[in-house]
Coordinates of all heavy atoms in Angstrom, one line a residue:
K1 N 154.9 334.7 57.5 CA 156.2 334.2 57.7 C 156.1 332.7 58.0 O 155.3 332.2 58.7 CB 156.9 334.9 58.9 CG 158.3 334.5 59.1 CD 158.9 335.4 60.2 CE 160.4 334.9 60.3 NZ 161.1 335.6 61.4
A2 N 157.0 332.0 57.3 CA 157.0 330.5 57.5 C 157.7 330.1 58.8 O 158.7 330.8 59.2 CB 157.8 329.9 56.3
S3 N 157.2 329.0 59.4 CA 157.8 328.6 60.6 C 159.1 327.8 60.4 O 159.4 327.3 59.3 CB 156.8 327.7 61.4 OG 156.7 326.4 60.6
A4 N 159.9 327.7 61.4 CA 161.2 327.0 61.3 C 161.0 325.5 61.0 O 161.8 324.9 60.4 CB 162.0 327.2 62.6
D5 N 159.9 325.0 61.5 CA 159.5 323.6 61.2 C 159.4 323.3 59.7 O 159.7 322.2 59.2 CB 158.2 323.2 61.9 CG 158.4 323.2 63.4 OD1 159.5 323.1 63.9 OD2 157.3 323.3 64.1
W6 N 159.1 324.3 59.0 CA 158.9 324.2 57.5 C 160.2 324.7 56.8 O 160.6 324.0 55.8 CB 157.7 325.0 57.1 CG 157.5 325.0 55.6 CD1 157.7 326.0 54.7 CD2 157.0 323.9 54.8 NE1 157.3 325.6 53.4 CE2 156.9 324.3 53.4 CE3 156.6 322.6 55.1 CZ2 156.5 323.5 52.4 CZ3 156.2 321.8 54.0 CH2 156.1 322.2 52.7
V7 N 160.8 325.7 57.2 CA 161.9 326.3 56.5 C 163.1 325.4 56.6 O 163.8 325.2 55.6 CB 162.2 327.7 57.1 CG1 163.6 328.2 56.5 CG2 161.1 328.7 56.8
E8 N 163.4 324.8 57.7 CA 164.6 324.0 57.9 C 164.6 322.8 56.9 O 165.6 322.5 56.2 CB 164.9 323.6 59.3 CG 165.3 324.8 60.2 CD 165.4 324.5 61.6 OE1 165.5 323.3 62.0 OE2 165.4 325.4 62.4
P9 N 163.6 322.0 56.9 CA 163.6 320.8 56.0 C 163.6 321.2 54.6 O 164.2 320.5 53.7 CB 162.3 320.0 56.4 CG 161.7 320.7 57.5 CD 162.4 322.0 57.8
M10 N 162.9 322.3 54.2 CA 162.9 322.7 52.8 C 164.2 323.2 52.4 O 164.7 323.0 51.3 CB 161.8 323.8 52.6 CG 160.4 323.2 52.6 SD 160.1 322.0 51.4 CE 160.2 320.5 52.3
S11 N 164.9 323.9 53.3 CA 166.3 324.4 53.0 C 167.2 323.2 52.8 O 168.0 323.2 51.8 CB 166.8 325.3 54.1 OG 166.0 326.5 54.2
S12 N 167.1 322.2 53.6 CA 167.9 321.0 53.5 C 167.6 320.3 52.1 O 168.5 319.9 51.4 CB 167.7 320.1 54.6 OG 168.3 318.9 54.4
F13 N 166.3 320.2 51.8 CA 165.9 319.5 50.6 C 166.5 320.3 49.4 O 167.0 319.8 48.4 CB 164.4 319.5 50.5 CG 163.9 318.8 49.3 CD1 163.8 317.4 49.2 CD2 163.4 319.6 48.2 CE1 163.3 316.8 48.0 CE2 162.9 319.0 47.1 CZ 162.9 317.6 47.0
H14 N 166.3 321.6 49.4 CA 166.8 322.5 48.3 C 168.3 322.4 48.2 O 168.8 322.3 47.0 CB 166.4 323.9 48.6 CG 166.8 324.9 47.6 ND1 167.9 325.6 47.6 CD2 166.1 325.3 46.4 CE1 168.0 326.4 46.5 NE2 167.0 326.2 45.8
N15 N 169.0 322.4 49.2 CA 170.5 322.4 49.1 C 171.0 321.1 48.6 O 171.9 321.0 47.8 CB 171.1 322.6 50.5 CG 170.9 324.1 51.0 OD1 170.8 325.0 50.1 ND2 171.0 324.3 52.3
Q16 N 170.3 320.0 49.0 CA 170.8 318.6 48.6 C 170.4 318.3 47.1 O 171.1 317.6 46.4 CB 170.3 317.6 49.5 CG 170.9 317.7 50.9 CD 170.4 316.6 51.8 OE1 169.7 315.7 51.5 NE2 170.8 316.7 53.1
F17 N 169.2 318.7 46.7 CA 168.7 318.3 45.4 C 168.8 319.4 44.4 O 168.6 319.2 43.2 CB 167.3 317.8 45.5 CG 167.2 316.5 46.2 CD1 166.9 316.4 47.5 CD2 167.6 315.3 45.5 CE1 166.8 315.2 48.2 CE2 167.5 314.1 46.2 CZ 167.1 314.0 47.5
G18 N 169.2 320.6 44.7 CA 169.3 321.7 43.7 C 170.4 321.4 42.7 O 170.1 321.5 41.5
D19 N 171.6 320.9 43.1 CA 172.6 320.6 42.2 C 172.2 319.4 41.3 O 172.5 319.3 40.1 CB 173.9 320.3 42.9 CG 174.5 321.6 43.5 OD1 174.1 322.7 43.0 OD2 175.3 321.5 44.4
I20 N 171.6 318.4 42.0 CA 171.2 317.2 41.2 C 170.2 317.6 40.1 O 170.3 317.1 39.0 CB 170.6 316.2 42.2 CG1 171.7 315.6 43.1 CG2 169.9 315.0 41.4 CD1 171.1 314.7 44.2
L21 N 169.3 318.5 40.4 CA 168.3 319.0 39.4 C 169.0 319.7 38.3 O 168.6 319.4 37.1 CB 167.3 319.9 40.1 CG 166.1 320.4 39.2 CD1 165.3 319.3 38.7 CD2 165.3 321.3 40.0
L22 N 170.0 320.5 38.6 CA 170.7 321.2 37.5 C 171.4 320.2 36.6 O 171.4 320.3 35.4 CB 171.7 322.2 38.1 CG 171.1 323.4 38.8 CD1 172.2 324.2 39.4 CD2 170.3 324.2 37.8
V23 N 172.0 319.1 37.1 CA 172.6 318.1 36.3 C 171.6 317.4 35.5 O 171.8 317.1 34.3 CB 173.4 317.1 37.2 CG1 173.8 315.9 36.4 CG2 174.6 317.7 37.9
I24 N 170.5 317.0 36.0 CA 169.4 316.4 35.2 C 168.9 317.3 34.1 O 168.7 316.8 33.0 CB 168.2 316.0 36.2 CG1 168.7 314.8 37.1 CG2 167.0 315.5 35.4 CD1 167.7 314.5 38.2
I25 N 168.7 318.5 34.4 CA 168.3 319.5 33.3 C 169.4 319.6 32.2 O 169.1 319.5 31.0 CB 168.1 320.9 33.9 CG1 166.8 320.8 34.8 CG2 167.9 321.9 32.8 CD1 166.6 322.1 35.6
G26 N 170.7 319.6 32.6 CA 171.8 319.7 31.6 C 171.8 318.4 30.8 O 172.0 318.5 29.6
V27 N 171.7 317.3 31.4 CA 171.6 316.0 30.6 C 170.5 316.0 29.6 O 170.6 315.6 28.5 CB 171.6 314.8 31.6 CG1 171.3 313.5 30.8 CG2 172.9 314.7 32.3
H28 N 169.3 316.5 30.1 CA 168.1 316.6 29.2 C 168.4 317.4 28.0 O 168.0 317.1 26.9 CB 167.0 317.1 30.0 CG 165.6 316.9 29.4 ND1 164.9 315.8 29.6 CD2 165.0 317.8 28.6 CE1 163.7 316.0 28.9 NE2 163.8 317.2 28.3
I29 N 169.0 318.6 28.2 CA 169.3 319.5 27.1 C 170.3 318.9 26.2 O 170.1 319.0 24.9 CB 169.7 320.9 27.7 CG1 168.6 321.6 28.4 CG2 170.3 321.8 26.6 CD1 169.0 322.8 29.2
V30 N 171.4 318.3 26.7 CA 172.4 317.7 25.8 C 171.8 316.6 25.0 O 172.0 316.4 23.8 CB 173.6 317.2 26.7 CG1 174.5 316.3 25.9 CG2 174.3 318.4 27.3
A31 N 170.9 315.7 25.7 CA 170.3 314.6 24.9 C 169.4 315.2 23.8 O 169.4 314.6 22.7 CB 169.5 313.8 25.9
S32 N 168.7 316.2 24.1 CA 167.8 316.8 23.0 C 168.6 317.3 21.8 O 168.3 317.1 20.7 CB 167.0 318.0 23.6 OG 166.1 317.5 24.6
M33 N 169.8 318.0 22.2 CA 170.7 318.5 21.1 C 171.3 317.3 20.3 O 171.4 317.4 19.1 CB 171.8 319.3 21.7 CG 171.3 320.6 22.3 SD 170.5 321.6 21.0 CE 169.1 322.3 21.8
L34 N 171.7 316.2 21.0 CA 172.3 315.1 20.3 C 171.3 314.4 19.4 O 171.6 314.0 18.3 CB 172.8 314.1 21.3 CG 174.1 314.5 22.0 CD1 174.5 313.5 23.1 CD2 175.2 314.7 21.0
Y35 N 170.0 314.3 19.8 CA 169.0 313.8 19.0 C 168.8 314.6 17.7 O 168.6 314.1 16.6 CB 167.7 313.7 19.7 CG 167.4 312.3 20.2 CD1 168.0 311.8 21.3 CD2 166.5 311.4 19.5 CE1 167.8 310.5 21.8 CE2 166.2 310.1 20.0 CZ 166.9 309.7 21.1 OH 166.6 308.4 21.6
L36 N 168.9 315.9 17.9 CA 168.7 316.9 16.8 C 169.9 316.7 15.8 O 169.7 316.7 14.6 CB 168.5 318.3 17.3 CG 168.3 319.4 16.2 CD1 167.0 319.1 15.5 CD2 168.2 320.7 16.9
L37 N 171.1 316.7 16.3 CA 172.3 316.7 15.5 C 172.6 315.4 14.9 O 172.9 315.3 13.7 CB 173.5 317.2 16.3 CG 173.4 318.7 16.8 CD1 174.6 319.0 17.7 CD2 173.4 319.6 15.6
L38 N 172.5 314.3 15.7 CA 172.9 313.0 15.2 C 171.8 312.2 14.5 O 172.0 311.5 13.5 CB 173.5 312.2 16.3 CG 174.7 312.8 17.0 CD1 175.2 312.0 18.2 CD2 175.8 313.0 16.0
K39 N 170.6 312.2 15.1 CA 169.5 311.4 14.6 C 168.5 312.2 13.8 O 167.6 311.7 13.2 CB 168.7 310.8 15.8 CG 169.5 309.7 16.5 CD 168.6 309.0 17.5 CE 169.3 307.7 17.9 NZ 168.3 306.9 18.6
K40 N 168.7 313.5 13.7 CA 167.9 314.4 12.9 C 166.4 314.4 13.4 O 165.5 314.5 12.6 CB 168.0 314.1 11.4 CG 169.4 314.1 10.8 CD 170.0 315.4 10.9 CE 171.4 315.3 10.2 NZ 172.5 315.9 10.9
Q41 N 166.2 314.2 14.7 CA 164.9 314.2 15.3 C 164.8 315.4 16.2 O 165.5 315.5 17.2 CB 164.7 312.9 16.1 CG 164.6 311.7 15.2 CD 164.2 310.5 16.1 OE1 163.6 310.6 17.2 NE2 164.6 309.3 15.6
N42 N 163.9 316.3 15.8 CA 163.6 317.5 16.7 C 162.7 317.1 17.8 O 161.5 316.8 17.6 CB 163.0 318.6 15.8 CG 162.8 319.8 16.6 OD1 163.2 319.9 17.8 ND2 162.2 320.8 16.0
L43 N 163.2 317.0 19.0 CA 162.4 316.7 20.2 C 161.9 317.9 20.9 O 161.0 317.8 21.7 CB 163.2 315.8 21.1 CG 163.7 314.5 20.6 CD1 164.4 313.7 21.7 CD2 162.5 313.6 20.1
I44 N 162.5 319.1 20.6 CA 162.2 320.3 21.3 C 160.7 320.8 20.9 O 159.9 321.1 21.8 CB 163.2 321.4 21.0 CG1 164.6 320.9 21.5 CG2 162.8 322.7 21.7 CD1 165.7 321.7 21.1
G45 N 160.4 320.8 19.6 CA 159.1 321.2 19.2 C 158.0 320.3 19.8 O 157.0 320.8 20.3
P46 N 158.2 318.9 19.7 CA 157.2 318.1 20.3 C 157.0 318.2 21.8 O 155.9 318.1 22.4 CB 157.6 316.7 19.9 CG 158.4 316.9 18.7 CD 159.1 318.2 18.8
M47 N 158.1 318.6 22.5 CA 158.0 318.8 23.9 C 157.1 320.0 24.2 O 156.4 320.1 25.2 CB 159.4 319.0 24.6 CG 160.1 317.7 24.8 SD 161.6 317.9 25.9 CE 162.7 318.4 24.6
I48 N 157.2 321.0 23.3 CA 156.4 322.2 23.6 C 155.0 322.0 23.1 O 154.0 322.4 23.8 CB 157.1 323.4 22.8 CG1 158.4 323.7 23.4 CG2 156.2 324.6 22.8 CD1 159.3 324.7 22.6
T49 N 154.8 321.4 21.9 CA 153.4 321.3 21.4 C 152.7 320.0 21.8 O 151.5 320.0 21.8 CB 153.5 321.3 19.8 OG1 154.2 320.1 19.4 CG2 154.1 322.5 19.3
G50 N 153.5 319.0 22.2 CA 152.8 317.7 22.5 C 152.5 316.8 21.3 O 151.9 315.8 21.5
V51 N 152.9 317.3 20.1 CA 152.7 316.5 18.9 C 154.0 316.2 18.2 O 154.8 317.1 18.0 CB 151.7 317.3 18.0 CG1 151.5 316.5 16.7 CG2 150.4 317.6 18.6
K52 N 154.2 314.9 17.9 CA 155.4 314.5 17.2 C 155.0 313.8 15.9 O 154.1 312.9 15.9 CB 156.2 313.6 18.1 CG 157.5 313.1 17.4 CD 158.3 312.2 18.3 CE 159.6 311.8 17.5 NZ 160.3 310.7 18.3
R53 N 155.6 314.1 14.8 CA 155.3 313.4 13.6 C 156.0 312.1 13.5 O 157.2 312.0 13.9 CB 155.8 314.3 12.4 CG 155.1 315.6 12.3 CD 153.8 315.5 11.6 NE 153.1 316.8 11.5 CZ 151.9 316.9 11.1 NH1 151.2 315.8 10.9 NH2 151.4 318.1 11.0
N54 N 155.3 311.1 12.9 CA 156.0 309.8 12.6 C 156.8 310.0 11.4 O 156.8 311.0 10.7 CB 154.9 308.8 12.4 CG 154.3 308.3 13.7 OD1 154.9 308.4 14.7 ND2 153.1 307.7 13.5
I55 N 157.6 309.0 11.0 CA 158.4 309.0 9.9 C 157.6 309.3 8.6 O 158.0 310.0 7.7 CB 159.2 307.7 9.7 CG1 160.2 307.6 10.9 CG2 160.0 307.6 8.4 CD1 160.9 306.3 11.0
V56 N 156.4 308.7 8.5 CA 155.6 308.9 7.3 C 154.9 310.2 7.3 O 154.2 310.5 6.3 CB 154.6 307.7 7.2 CG1 155.3 306.4 6.9 CG2 153.7 307.6 8.4
G57 N 155.0 311.0 8.3 CA 154.4 312.3 8.3 C 153.1 312.5 9.0 O 152.5 313.5 9.0
T58 N 152.6 311.4 9.5 CA 151.3 311.5 10.3 C 151.6 311.7 11.7 O 152.7 311.4 12.2 CB 150.5 310.2 10.1 OG1 151.3 309.1 10.6 CG2 150.2 309.9 8.6
D59 N 150.6 312.2 12.4 CA 150.7 312.4 13.9 C 150.9 311.1 14.6 O 150.3 310.1 14.3 CB 149.5 313.1 14.4 CG 149.4 314.6 14.0 OD1 150.5 315.1 13.6 OD2 148.4 315.2 14.1
A60 N 151.8 311.1 15.6 CA 151.9 309.9 16.4 C 150.7 309.7 17.2 O 150.0 310.6 17.5 CB 153.1 310.1 17.3
Q61 N 150.4 308.5 17.6 CA 149.2 308.1 18.4 C 149.4 308.7 19.8 O 150.4 308.5 20.4 CB 149.1 306.6 18.5 CG 147.8 306.2 19.1 CD 147.6 304.7 19.2 OE1 148.6 304.0 18.9 NE2 146.4 304.3 19.5
Q62 N 148.4 309.4 20.2 CA 148.4 310.0 21.6 C 147.9 309.0 22.6 O 147.1 308.2 22.3 CB 147.5 311.3 21.6 CG 148.1 312.4 20.8 CD 147.3 313.7 20.9 OE1 146.1 313.6 21.3 NE2 147.9 314.8 20.6
K63 N 148.5 309.1 23.8 CA 148.1 308.3 24.9 C 146.8 308.8 25.5 O 146.5 310.0 25.4 CB 149.2 308.2 25.9 CG 150.5 307.7 25.4 CD 150.4 306.2 25.1 CE 151.7 305.6 24.7 NZ 151.6 304.3 24.2
P64 N 146.0 307.9 26.1 CA 144.8 308.4 26.8 C 145.0 309.4 27.9 O 146.1 309.3 28.5 CB 144.2 307.1 27.3 CG 144.8 306.0 26.6 CD 146.2 306.5 26.2
L65 N 144.1 310.3 28.1 CA 144.2 311.3 29.1 C 144.4 310.7 30.5 O 145.1 311.2 31.3 CB 143.0 312.2 29.1 CG 143.0 313.4 30.1 CD1 144.2 314.3 29.9 CD2 141.7 314.1 30.0
W66 N 143.7 309.6 30.8 CA 143.8 309.0 32.1 C 145.2 308.6 32.4 O 145.6 308.6 33.6 CB 142.8 307.8 32.2 CG 143.2 306.6 31.4 CD1 142.8 306.2 30.2 CD2 144.1 305.5 31.8 NE1 143.3 305.1 29.8 CE2 144.1 304.6 30.8 CE3 144.8 305.3 33.0 CZ2 144.9 303.4 30.8 CZ3 145.6 304.1 33.0 CH2 145.6 303.2 31.9
Q67 N 146.0 308.2 31.4 CA 147.4 307.8 31.7 C 148.2 309.0 32.1 O 149.0 308.9 33.1 CB 148.1 307.2 30.5 CG 147.6 305.8 30.2 CD 148.3 305.1 29.0 OE1 149.0 305.8 28.3 NE2 148.0 303.9 28.8
A68 N 148.0 310.1 31.5 CA 148.7 311.4 31.9 C 148.3 311.8 33.3 O 149.1 312.2 34.1 CB 148.4 312.5 30.9
L69 N 147.0 311.7 33.6 CA 146.5 312.1 34.9 C 147.0 311.1 36.0 O 147.4 311.6 37.1 CB 145.0 312.1 34.9 CG 144.3 313.2 34.1 CD1 142.8 313.1 34.0 CD2 144.8 314.6 34.5
L70 N 147.1 309.9 35.7 CA 147.7 308.9 36.6 C 149.1 309.2 36.9 O 149.6 309.2 38.1 CB 147.5 307.5 36.1 CG 148.1 306.4 36.9 CD1 147.4 306.2 38.2 CD2 148.1 305.0 36.2
L71 N 149.9 309.5 35.9 CA 151.3 309.8 36.1 C 151.5 311.1 36.9 O 152.4 311.2 37.7 CB 152.0 309.9 34.7 CG 152.3 308.6 34.0 CD1 152.9 308.8 32.6 CD2 153.2 307.7 34.8
L72 N 150.6 312.1 36.6 CA 150.6 313.3 37.3 C 150.4 313.1 38.8 O 151.0 313.6 39.7 CB 149.6 314.3 36.7 CG 149.5 315.7 37.4 CD1 150.9 316.4 37.4 CD2 148.4 316.5 36.9
G73 N 149.3 312.3 39.1 CA 149.0 312.0 40.5 C 150.1 311.2 41.2 O 150.4 311.5 42.3
L74 N 150.7 310.2 40.5 CA 151.8 309.5 41.1 C 153.0 310.4 41.4 O 153.7 310.3 42.4 CB 152.2 308.3 40.2 CG 151.2 307.2 40.1 CD1 151.7 306.2 39.0 CD2 151.1 306.5 41.4
S75 N 153.3 311.3 40.4 CA 154.4 312.3 40.6 C 154.1 313.2 41.8 O 155.0 313.5 42.6 CB 154.6 313.1 39.4 OG 155.0 312.2 38.3
A76 N 152.9 313.7 41.9 CA 152.5 314.6 43.0 C 152.6 313.8 44.3 O 153.1 314.4 45.3 CB 151.1 315.1 42.8
G77 N 152.2 312.6 44.3 CA 152.2 311.8 45.5 C 153.7 311.5 46.0 O 154.0 311.6 47.2
A78 N 154.5 311.2 45.0 CA 155.9 311.0 45.3 C 156.6 312.3 45.9 O 157.4 312.2 46.8 CB 156.7 310.5 44.1
L79 N 156.3 313.4 45.3 CA 156.8 314.7 45.8 C 156.3 315.0 47.2 O 157.0 315.3 48.1 CB 156.4 315.8 44.9 CG 156.9 317.2 45.3 CD1 158.4 317.3 45.4 CD2 156.3 318.3 44.4
W80 N 155.0 314.7 47.4 CA 154.4 315.0 48.8 C 155.1 314.0 49.8 O 155.5 314.5 50.9 CB 152.9 314.7 48.8 CG 152.3 314.7 50.1 CD1 152.0 315.8 50.9 CD2 152.1 313.6 51.0 NE1 151.5 315.4 52.1 CE2 151.6 314.0 52.2 CE3 152.3 312.2 50.8 CZ2 151.3 313.2 53.2 CZ3 152.0 311.4 51.9 CH2 151.5 311.8 53.1
A81 N 155.3 312.7 49.5 CA 155.9 311.8 50.4 C 157.3 312.2 50.7 O 157.8 312.1 51.8 CB 155.8 310.4 49.8
T82 N 158.0 312.7 49.7 CA 159.4 313.1 49.9 C 159.5 314.3 50.9 O 160.3 314.3 51.8 CB 160.1 313.5 48.5 OG1 160.1 312.4 47.7 CG2 161.5 314.0 48.7
I83 N 158.6 315.2 50.7 CA 158.6 316.4 51.5 C 158.1 316.1 52.9 O 158.6 316.5 53.9 CB 157.7 317.5 50.9 CG1 158.4 318.1 49.6 CG2 157.5 318.7 51.9 CD1 157.5 319.0 48.8
A84 N 157.0 315.3 53.0 CA 156.4 314.9 54.3 C 157.3 314.1 55.2 O 157.3 314.2 56.4 CB 155.1 314.3 54.1
F85 N 158.0 313.2 54.6 CA 158.8 312.2 55.4 C 160.3 312.5 55.3 O 161.1 311.6 55.7 CB 158.5 310.8 54.9 CG 157.1 310.5 55.1 CD1 156.2 310.3 54.0 CD2 156.5 310.3 56.3 CE1 154.9 310.0 54.1 CE2 155.2 310.0 56.5 CZ 154.3 309.8 55.4
W86 N 160.7 313.6 54.8 CA 162.2 314.0 54.7 C 162.6 314.2 56.1 O 162.1 314.9 56.9 CB 162.3 315.2 53.9 CG 163.8 315.4 53.5 CD1 164.6 316.4 54.2 CD2 164.6 314.8 52.6 NE1 165.9 316.3 53.6 CE2 165.9 315.3 52.6 CE3 164.3 313.8 51.7 CZ2 166.9 314.9 51.8 CZ3 165.3 313.3 50.8 CH2 166.6 313.9 50.9
P87 N 163.7 313.5 56.5 CA 164.2 313.7 57.9 C 164.7 315.1 58.2 O 165.3 315.8 57.3 CB 165.4 312.7 58.0 CG 165.7 312.3 56.6 CD 164.5 312.6 55.7
A88 N 164.4 315.6 59.3 CA 164.8 317.0 59.7 C 166.3 317.1 59.8 O 166.9 316.1 60.2 CB 164.1 317.4 61.0
A89 N 166.8 318.2 59.4 CA 168.3 318.4 59.5 C 168.7 318.7 60.9 O 168.1 319.1 61.8 CB 168.6 319.6 58.6

C-alpha cells in the first residue's frame, strides 16, 4: 500500500495535468490527420516504424542513437524533477 506522502502529491499531479495531457493528445491526432489530408504526408506510419520516406523515395537520414538517448535522459530527468519537487497539496 502506498503512503499518503506519495498518494497525495501524485493525485494532485494527476488531477491537474490529466486534462492537459488529453488536450495535447487531441492536438497531436488532429495535426497528424491534417498533414495526411492537406499535405498528403502520412506521419502515422513513420511514428510507428521510425522510418519516413523523402520526396525522392529514399529513407530519411536517421539521427545518431546518442541524440535519442540524450533526449530520453533529459525527459526522464524533467519528469523526475517535476515529481520530486511538486509542492504538496
Side-chain angles (χ1 to χ4, degrees):
K1 184 175 179 180
S3 70
D5 292 337
W6 179 252
V7 172
E8 290 176 18
M10 288 299 102
S11 294
S12 174
F13 180 82
H14 181 267
N15 290 335
Q16 291 179 8
F17 289 101
D19 291 337
I20 293 171
L21 182 60
L22 290 175
V23 169
I24 292 170
I25 291 169
V27 169
H28 192 90
I29 291 170
V30 168
S32 296
M33 292 298 141
L34 287 174
Y35 260 79
L36 182 61
L37 296 172
L38 301 177
K39 292 189 166 195
K40 307 294 186 227
Q41 291 184 26
N42 182 4
L43 299 180
I44 299 165
M47 280 192 276
I48 294 169
T49 64
V51 177
K52 181 180 177 188
R53 296 277 185 194
N54 284 338
I55 294 171
V56 294
T58 61
D59 287 342
Q61 185 179 14
Q62 292 184 340
K63 300 291 183 186
L65 179 60
W66 69 267
Q67 286 181 355
L69 294 174
L70 176 64
L71 288 173
L72 178 63
L74 290 172
S75 299
L79 178 62
W80 172 82
T82 301
I83 293 170
F85 300 109
W86 191 258

